[in-house]
Every structure is written in C-alpha cells, then in structure tokens.
Amino acid sequence: LEALCHCGEQLRTVLLVGHNPGISEFACQLIDSDQPVSLTTAGLCQIVLPGVPWRALGPGMARTFAILR
C-alpha cells in the first residue's frame, strides 16, 4: 500500500506486479475481505479504487475486485 501512496496524482491507472503470498494479501487488504484471494501463478486481478489521492488510500477502499486470469 505504501508504494501506491507515492504515486503521482496525475496517474489514474497503475499496474502493480508482485509475488505471492504478498500480492494476494495486498488484494485482500484493499477489498477488506476475510476470505483469501487466490491468485495463481501469472494471475491477474483488477481492483477499482475510488477517485481519491493515492496517498489517501487505505484498507477496504476498493470499489470492485475481479480475478481476470
């Protein structure tokens, strides 16, 4: 989450690449879910966040979440 907080305000879309279990735990934090997110190897998910400054992001702020691959 800290990495996103440092994004410039002019950015509207960010691609975050990571490894498990960290990236799945990160997704869980943004969607505020008690259920684990199960991203597979080379998996891809989309998380839509509210239109707030990146530095204001926090747990549970995701609007929608979808596993795309």
Side-chain angles (χ1 to χ4, degrees):
L1 193 56
E2 185 179 337
L4 288 180
C5 289
H6 294 290
C7 289
E9 296 307 317
Q10 72 279 10
L11 298 177
R12 299 183 51 85
T13 302
V14 174
L15 174 64
L16 185 64
V17 178
H19 294 275
N20 268 329
I23 199 73
S24 291
E25 292 168 356
F26 176 72
C28 279
Q29 187 179 46
L30 282 176
I31 63 174
D32 196 22
S33 174
D34 292 334
Q35 299 297 319
V37 171
S38 182
L39 290 173
T40 60
T41 300
L44 178 67
C45 71
Q46 177 186 37
I47 301 172
V48 178
L49 300 166
V52 299
W54 292 107
R55 67 184 177 280
L57 286 178
M61 293 188 75
R63 287 187 179 166
T64 60
F65 171 79
I67 294 179
L68 305 175
R69 182 174 183 269

